[in-house]
Amino acid sequence: MRNKEKFIALVSPETTNTVAKNRDRIKNRAMLRESQNIALKVLDKLEEIRWSQRKLASEMGVTPQQITKIVKGQENLTLETQIKLQSILKIPILASYYENIEEKSVSEVAITKTERYFAPKTRVKLADKTLLAKKEFKMEYNPISEKYNYFEQTA
């Protein structure tokens, strides 16, 4: 048996919908992030008031399985469910849009802070001569990605 025949024997004849699933996930990325943020708020509040998920389910009038879906961050919550969570747990779920805007405006101010950074001496080739020189970089901190960005200074 040759390699090609071995490979064909391993490949499943069934078609998969992996590409379609990934496209849907990418399309719904914003909704999933918001669901995960709500899940974190709910879990934090439940821990703070020392409630179980079962207690929250009984207060909301839903099944414990529904609460499990909510705290996993995989549930597309209806407006009614969000309002129930907000009123029972007394947490701002629907205000997350405004919280994000405030965070972005604070981080945009922080991004403008730059510093100069000198790299260690590096070899620079100039007209058949190799010299040791220091390169100068501009360094910016991006609080959103929590990383430093380096830009080489040009004269």
Side-chain angles (χ1 to χ4, degrees), residues 5 8 14 27 29 38 47 50 52-53 55 65 69 71 82 87 90 94 101 139 149:
E5 293 166 345
I8 290 172
E14 297 175 14
K27 189 173 75 175
R29 188 173 285 161
I38 291 170
E47 188 176 312
R50 299 180 192 269
S52 66
Q53 292 178 23
K55 168 96 169 143
Q65 290 82 5
K69 288 180 184 177
V71 298
Q82 291 179 21
S87 62
K90 308 225 180 332
L94 299 174
I101 289 176
M139 180 171 67
N149 299 320

Side-chain angles (χ1 to χ4, degrees), residues 60 77-91 93-94:
M60 287 183 62
L77 301 173
T78 62
L79 189 57
E80 179 185 357
T81 304
Q82 291 179 21
I83 291 171
K84 277 184 184 179
L85 283 169
Q86 189 168 266
S87 62
I88 291 171
L89 297 177
K90 308 225 180 332
I91 54 175
I93 290 175
L94 299 174

Side-chain angles (χ1 to χ4, degrees), residues 31-49:
M31 185 273 304
L32 286 172
R33 279 198 187 112
E34 195 62 33
S35 292
Q36 291 167 352
N37 288 337
I38 291 170
L40 288 172
K41 286 180 182 182
V42 169
L43 285 171
D44 287 344
K45 188 64 175 184
L46 287 176
E47 188 176 312
E48 179 185 319
I49 61 176

